[in-house]
Amino acid sequence: MCQEGDEAKEDCGSREEWTLLFWTSLAVVVPVILTLWCSAQRSKRRTYMKEFFRKSKHGWHYTDLFNKPTYCCVCSQHILHGAFCDCCGVCADEQCLRRADRSLPCKEIVAPCRPDGTTEHRWVRGNVPLASYCAACKQQCGTQPKLCDFRCIWCQTTVHDDCMDSLAGKDTCDLGEFHSLIIPPHYLHRVNKLRRRLPDEYSKLGASCGRNWTPVLVLANTRSGNNMGEALLGEFRTLLNPVQVFDLSELTPPKALQLCTLLPPGRVLVLVCGGDGTVGWVLDAIDAMKLKDQDQFIPRVTILPLGTGNDLSNTLGWGAGYAGEIPVEQVLRNVLEAEVVKMDRWKVQVASKGLYFRKPKVLSMNNYFSVGPDALMALNFHAHREKTPSFFSSRIINKAVYFLYGTKDCLVQECKDLDKRVELELDGERVALPSLEGIIVCNIGYWGGGCRLWEGMGDEPCPPTRLDDGLLEVVGVFGSFHCAQIQVKLANPVRLGQAHTVRLVLKSSTMPMQVDGEPWAQGPCTITITHKTQALMLYHSGEQTDDDDDDEESSTSEPESPAPHDSPRRQWSTALQA
């Protein structure tokens, strides 16, 4: 009997162990299976949404959380996550996306006008901007917690539901405050109807858009600075014709600027949203237009600074960096008020020693060329940004990394005895060099993220700098610590002179060099800097968009010289490339 009892206990214990093992395995396996299933469904849904957005006529953007009370334009229900079109402002939840895409048309970038030559309003209901007022009764719109009121996607006029009847007979859209910057759909429609595409024909068509019509093309680099480019693209598409807003990660400047050849000569403006490197990229594309005998279509260029240094933007009065402190509407108003100035552009020719059969490397320079500690900092920064680009997504982080590399060079002094390794000639005359670590050749007034290098502390008289005088300013620095002292106005650079042509010979070793923030390591060579051409830029003399409050001089200084969706706008861009 005792033996049978022991066996029963063993069987019971064995069953308990197997039961525990089963439930433990189930507790581990089931979450893993659910996680894998959810991940597969999420990936499948992401692929489906991407394909849906690609084929859609809207510029849909999916968001997990709207930043203000938002209502679906189809079912009128309040939504937390869904999609919105950055062109027309239509919003929809996931369940209503297909229906919204079919039933709610987006902005037509090419469309005929009415027989009398006017354009009618294009209304979208609900989700009107905050602090908007009715065009009929002048009372605030969008105050009720529901889908209500209307907005014209072209002129941005808002009107109450109850006031729509009072606008009967007043359905003409004048494109609103920025009509002089917008490319109207009827203009592109008439361009498509032209049999002869000549500049005179474009000028005749442009006359119908007004005497002061100066269409603006927006070219944004979504990778610059604080990664604000994506949001800015949406805001500009809302205010302008989507066909005149380009993402440089999808379409290169030469292809985007082909739209200039379909607009009246001499009227086009280009707003570059990015850093100094992006501006140089666009200016190189404009120079390429000159080589194609398209001089008459050359646009004037203005800047919305999104990069880290932004010295060219600072020189032209647009500030040292844009962080959304003023609305996009004010940015466009500043563009309308800006004045045209000319800016010298320079050719930097690098001929490596001993490589006589290889063509010299030729670069374009707008800001400055340098050899020494500041180029070394830029070279180290770029090397690490290539390895971990996601880390360098903030302007503050970028400047902090530059500071760390500058501190390191103060201790190591990798560029010492530069005066023994190089020879400098200004307009053919040899210049005796003191014991320097760096030489900087400047075309503009600012250097190093907002420092007026040539003037220094202003305690010594020096010739003035101008953007259009065909002269370069050449200075020397004693090291990274000296650069830091110059930036905080505790020291002056060594002024070596001004010249029309600069020649620098690196006799031995390898030194870091940079042109407009693009660095490289260079062996023995001869560098020749000569005048290349002049670019038409816009100078802003009003309030700055500078987020550096400690640099008040930049706001009062005088100028140195007077995703791929196959939407209709994407199809139009494809047609331009053809």
Side-chain angles (χ1 to χ4, degrees):
M1 294 292 293
C2 293
Q3 186 176 1
E4 291 178 357
D6 293 339
E7 291 177 356
K9 289 181 180 179
E10 289 178 2
D11 292 340
C12 182
S14 178
R15 282 196 299 270
E16 289 179 356
E17 290 177 359
W18 281 105
T19 302
L20 180 61
L21 180 62
F22 170 76
W23 286 111
T24 302
S25 302
L26 199 64
V28 173
V29 172
V30 169
V32 171
I33 294 175
L34 287 175
T35 301
L36 293 176
W37 182 83
C38 291
S39 178
Q41 292 298 315
R42 191 181 299 113
S43 177
K44 182 179 179 181
R45 174 174 160 273
R46 190 183 299 114
T47 303
Y48 166 77
M49 295 294 287
K50 184 177 180 180
E51 183 67 15
F52 173 75
F53 288 167
R54 188 183 68 83
K55 295 180 179 179
S56 174
K57 295 181 179 180
H58 286 271
W60 293 114
H61 289 266
Y62 188 85
T63 179
D64 290 323
L65 182 65
F66 285 95
N67 58 6
K68 64 178 182 179
T70 306
Y71 301 89
C72 177
C73 294
V74 177
C75 65
S76 303
Q77 298 299 312
H78 180 264
I79 54 176
L80 291 177
H81 59 271
F84 65 94
C85 176
D86 63 2
C87 298
C88 64
V90 167
C91 302
D93 54 32
E94 283 192 49
Q95 292 76 18
C96 299
L97 262 178
R98 280 188 167 277
R99 188 176 169 190
D101 195 63
R102 290 194 306 265
S103 60
L104 301 175
C106 192
K107 269 185 177 180
E108 292 182 309
I109 62 174
V110 180
C113 58
R114 293 189 290 195
D116 60 355
T118 60
T119 304
E120 62 182 353
H121 286 293
R122 169 72 174 78
W123 300 107
V124 169
R125 188 163 187 257
N127 304 308
V128 299
L130 299 175
S132 55
Y133 292 86
C134 177
C137 67
K138 310 304 179 184
Q139 298 298 314
Q140 190 169 356
C141 290
T143 55
Q144 302 181 48
K146 64 178 183 179
L147 189 76
C148 62
D149 305 336
F150 291 86
R151 175 182 63 90
C152 175
I153 60 178
W154 285 106
C155 66
Q156 311 305 319
T157 296
T158 54
V159 61
H160 290 123
D161 293 329
D162 299 334
C163 297
M164 280 296 291
D165 294 338
S166 64
L167 290 183
K170 301 179 182 178
D171 58 345
T172 299
C173 178
D174 61 358
L175 301 181
E177 178 183 1
F178 304 112
H179 64 276
S180 61
L181 298 177
I182 297 175
I183 301 177
H186 63 78
Y187 175 87
L188 297 176
H189 178 77
R190 291 173 178 172
V191 167
N192 286 337
K193 297 291 183 180
L194 285 177
R195 293 184 178 179
R196 299 184 308 159
R197 294 198 171 185
L198 301 175
D200 292 341
E201 298 293 332
Y202 298 142
S203 297
K204 292 177 183 178
L205 292 182
S208 64
C209 299
R211 178 191 300 178
N212 298 322
W213 185 51
T214 51
V216 61
L217 306 185
V218 179
L219 279 62
N221 187 348
T222 55
R223 300 175 183 176
S224 290
N226 290 340
N227 292 332
M228 293 186 61
E230 189 67 32
L232 285 171
L233 284 171
E235 294 186 54
F236 281 118
R237 288 189 185 113
T238 299
L239 296 174
L240 307 173
N241 190 330
V243 77
Q244 58 192 110
V245 182
F246 299 92
D247 183 352
L248 294 182
S249 66
E250 299 178 3
L251 202 68
T252 60
K255 294 178 180 178
L257 292 175
Q258 287 305 302
L259 184 55
C260 295
T261 62
L262 300 179
L263 297 168
R267 289 197 179 189
V268 183
L269 309 177
V270 170
L271 174 60
V272 182
C273 305
D276 289 345
T278 306
V279 178
W281 190 16
V282 174
L283 292 178
D284 285 340
I286 292 175
D287 288 343
M289 292 177 64
K290 298 177 182 178
L291 298 177
K292 297 178 182 178
D293 295 328
Q294 296 175 345
D295 299 65
Q296 54 191 329
F297 296 108
I298 295 300
R300 292 159 284 176
V301 179
T302 183
I303 308 170
L304 184 62
L306 300 183
T308 302
N310 302 314
D311 292 301
L312 179 57
S313 171
N314 226 347
T315 300
L316 292 170
W318 298 103
Y322 177 78
E325 61 274 10
I326 63 173
V328 169
E329 291 84 353
Q330 186 58 46
V331 172
L332 294 178
R333 294 186 191 106
N334 292 341
V335 171
L336 286 171
E337 297 170 357
E339 58 182 291
V340 180
V341 296
K342 292 181 179 180
M343 183 187 74
D344 293 321
R345 301 194 71 221
W346 301 82
K347 180 174 72 173
V348 180
Q349 185 170 299
V350 183
S352 298
K353 186 177 181 180
L355 301 177
Y356 302 108
F357 300 102
R358 182 181 297 179
K359 289 184 178 180
K361 179 166 65 173
V362 178
L363 304 168
S364 296
M365 186 186 86
N366 303 311
N367 300 0
Y368 41 75
F369 163 85
S370 69
V371 52
D374 64 327
L376 178 62
M377 286 187 283
L379 184 62
N380 290 331
F381 174 84
H382 277 258
H384 282 79
R385 185 165 67 173
E386 289 294 323
K387 294 179 181 178
T388 56
S390 59
F391 179 75
F392 298 89
S393 59
S394 168
R395 189 181 293 131
I396 296 177
I397 291 177
N398 293 350
K399 290 185 177 182
V401 173
Y402 265 105
F403 173 76
L404 291 175
Y405 284 129
T407 304
K408 175 185 174 183
D409 187 62
C410 288
L411 303 174
V412 179
Q413 292 183 317
E414 295 184 28
C415 302
K416 63 181 179 180
D417 297 328
L418 178 70
D419 56 301
K420 300 177 182 178
R421 293 189 255 179
V422 302
E423 295 178 0
L424 177 66
E425 293 182 5
L426 301 182
D427 288 337
E429 295 185 7
R430 178 82 175 271
V431 177
L433 298 176
S435 181
L436 299 174
E437 285 192 27
I439 295 174
I440 305 169
V441 182
C442 292
N443 177 47
I444 61 176
Y446 284 90
W447 163 85
C451 170
R452 297 192 70 87
L453 185 64
W454 179 252
E455 287 85 352
M457 300 188 322
D459 57 354
E460 297 179 9
C462 61
T465 63
R466 291 178 61 90
L467 285 172
D468 62 347
D469 59 358
L471 285 173
L472 294 166
E473 287 72 42
V474 185
V475 301
V477 294
F478 295 118
S480 297
F481 186 68
H482 187 208
C483 290
Q485 287 180 309
I486 293 171
Q487 288 185 320
V488 296
K489 300 180 181 179
L490 293 177
N492 280 329
V494 179
R495 298 189 185 96
L496 301 175
Q498 292 178 303
H500 298 279
T501 302
V502 175
R503 185 171 179 266
L504 188 145
V505 180
L506 178 60
K507 297 181 290 185
S508 61
S509 70
T510 298
M511 293 291 292
M513 299 182 181
Q514 70 163 334
V515 172
D516 293 352
E518 298 297 327
W520 75 96
Q522 178 65 48
C525 65
T526 299
I527 298 163
T528 307
I529 306 177
T530 54
H531 191 269
K532 180 181 179 182
T533 185
Q534 284 189 327
L536 296 176
M537 310 296 290
L538 291 183
Y539 174 82
H540 177 51
S541 58
E543 184 181 356
Q544 295 273 326
T545 60
D546 191 348
D547 61 350
D548 296 333
D549 296 334
D550 57 341
D551 189 5
E552 297 180 357
E553 292 182 3
S554 61
S555 62
T556 57
S557 60
E558 294 296 323
E560 282 113 351
S561 170
H565 306 312
D566 285 342
S567 57
R569 65 175 183 276
R570 188 67 56 211
Q571 296 168 9
W572 179 264
S573 300
T574 304
L576 285 177
Q577 296 178 43

